Amino acid sequence: MPSAYSSQLLDNAVGQFARLPGIGRKTALRLVLHILRQDPAEVRMFTDAISTLRSDIRYCRCCHNLSDTDLCEICANPRRDARTLCVVESVRDVMAIEATHQYNGVYHVLGGVISPMDGIGPDDLNIDSLESRISAGNADEVILALSTTLEGDTTNYYIYRRLAPYNVKITTIARGVAVGDELEYADEVTLGRSIMNRVPFNGTNT
Amino acid sequence: MPSAYSSQLLDNAVGQFARLPGIGRKTALRLVLHILRQDPAEVRMFTDAISTLRSDIRYCRCCHNLSDTDLCEICANPRRDARTLCVVESVRDVMAIEATHQYNGVYHVLGGVISPMDGIGPDDLNIDSLESRISAGNADEVILALSTTLEGDTTNYYIYRRLAPYNVKITTIARGVAVGDELEYADEVTLGRSIMNRVPFNGTNT
């Protein structure tokens, strides 16, 4: 097949970039031409960062978060409250919660939610290891922070049942009208939850 | 500095992606997490395509187009009309013209336009080699296809003066109202050129 450009090397590199999600061939070409204008040393830094990432990154043996080491920075940090465990779907959720700087506990990354439609059952998720952490008496509270979809709710309930035999408090994150949002534009379910789960007002915590 | 994520490897890869034009840190993270879900073999194909491109690609010794070989596919193709030369600013312009499938001549990539503001003079561009091709009597026509900016016009005029001693026809691409565009929305300069450079109508070529 003749190449779309005058060079197979170019065509190949564009094709590889275009396989990334959200990157079309035009964007891919722009990125590749940018790379061609860079120093070989800079390009090597780029490719090295990617190869090293793929080959050297690990999943924390305790919480399954992405980590450079056997035990991730969060689990290994003695200043974190290791007895509060937040259960999330993915490493992106860990990043999102960390970015709030409001949480000082540790995590447990499930790696997804139970979804029979996609063929994902409890055994495909890190639920056994969650139960092990709890059964070993390593936590006082498990915070469920999964998405409020059918799959998320199913998973929440499944985990709730699995952890029921153990003496651990199970909570779920608060749902409600987002800070700064107007009430009239909030959906009914969210607004309903906001009212149901109202909290004492101390003069400032609106 | 502590990493923005729980992993320096991740942070490093995200940083490298985010240095590409038009890629912010959020997009970079999305791409990196996608790469983490891929097979190591696929990731190697990606990084190899980029390193090989950067190390092995050349510029055609004749037209300065990107090429895998010493002489690019277009210059080396005996079915192309080597005596018609289209002068363009960049390799992207070659791709744009090739995509029309309307041009069967060859190219000459200047690598930019004369721009005193940016410190780019004639010596920074592939103009000497253009003159060599013409002085050697290798072309009958030179088509100027630079952008209609002050810099493009300056460069056109400079090339026109440089090639004046040689017996070569110099043309410039037609400017006019784009196919499918409404006259009332065309700018005056473009519409004026469309009228000035009108062509005989044969019943179909609207």
Side-chain angles (χ1 to χ4, degrees), chain A residues 2-13 16-17 19-23 26-27 29-40 42-43 45-54 56-59 65-68 72-74 91-92 94-95 98, chain B residues 2-13 16-17 19-23 26-27 29-40 42-43 45-54 56-59 65-68 72-74 91-92 94-95 98:
Chain A
S3 124
Y5 313 115
S6 59
S7 152
Q8 277 293 348
L9 292 167
L10 186 68
D11 203 44
N12 193 17
Q16 286 293 332
F17 261 107
R19 296 181 58 219
L20 296 174
I23 308 273
K26 284 216 166 178
T27 306
L29 176 61
R30 191 161 48 82
L31 298 178
V32 166
L33 291 178
H34 172 86
I35 285 175
L36 274 177
R37 282 194 301 271
Q38 286 188 310
D39 276 351
E42 283 183 291
V43 176
M45 273 170 65
F46 178 76
T47 54
D48 281 356
I50 295 163
S51 346
T52 322
L53 172 80
R54 189 62 190 83
D56 292 3
I57 208 156
R58 304 186 226 176
Y59 291 90
N65 187 16
L66 287 175
S67 175
D68 295 350
C72 81
E73 283 180 8
I74 297 172
V91 292
R92 297 193 75 154
V94 173
M95 293 171 195
E98 284 298 288
Chain B
S3 127
Y5 312 114
S6 59
S7 151
Q8 277 293 348
L9 292 166
L10 186 69
D11 202 45
N12 194 16
Q16 285 293 332
F17 261 106
R19 295 183 56 219
L20 296 175
I23 308 272
K26 283 215 167 179
T27 306
L29 175 62
R30 191 161 46 82
L31 298 178
V32 165
L33 290 179
H34 173 85
I35 284 174
L36 273 179
R37 282 194 302 270
Q38 287 187 310
D39 276 352
E42 284 184 290
V43 176
M45 274 169 65
F46 177 76
T47 53
D48 281 356
I50 295 164
S51 348
T52 323
L53 172 81
R54 188 63 190 81
D56 291 3
I57 209 155
R58 303 187 226 177
Y59 291 90
N65 187 17
L66 287 176
S67 173
D68 295 351
C72 81
E73 284 180 7
I74 297 172
V91 292
R92 298 194 74 154
V94 173
M95 293 172 194
E98 284 297 288

Side-chain angles (χ1 to χ4, degrees), chain A residues 91-165:
Chain A
V91 292
R92 297 193 75 154
D93 298 330
V94 173
M95 293 171 195
I97 295 175
E98 284 298 288
T100 68
H101 300 292
Q102 296 293 318
Y103 181 65
N104 195 40
V106 294
Y107 295 91
H108 193 87
V109 181
L110 290 184
V113 279
I114 298 171
S115 173
M117 292 281 282
D118 301 316
I120 302 172
D123 293 344
D124 302 312
L125 306 174
N126 299 317
I127 294 181
D128 284 344
S129 60
L130 173 64
E131 188 178 351
S132 305
R133 289 175 81 177
I134 304 306
S135 64
N138 287 341
D140 298 322
E141 179 176 358
V142 170
I143 304 172
L144 299 171
L146 306 181
S147 46
T148 50
T149 55
L150 181 61
E151 290 81 10
D153 288 344
T154 306
T155 314
N156 275 334
Y157 187 69
Y158 180 84
I159 292 174
Y160 176 78
R161 293 295 300 264
R162 281 280 291 265
L163 301 186

Side-chain angles (χ1 to χ4, degrees), chain B residues 124-169:
Chain B
D124 301 311
L125 307 174
N126 299 317
I127 294 181
D128 285 345
S129 59
L130 173 64
E131 188 177 351
S132 306
R133 289 175 81 177
I134 305 305
S135 64
N138 286 342
D140 297 322
E141 178 176 359
V142 169
I143 305 172
L144 299 171
L146 306 181
S147 47
T148 50
T149 55
L150 182 61
E151 290 80 10
D153 289 345
T154 306
T155 313
N156 277 334
Y157 186 71
Y158 180 84
I159 292 174
Y160 176 79
R161 295 295 300 265
R162 280 282 290 266
L163 301 185
Y166 310 106
N167 181 28
V168 68
K169 185 171 155 193

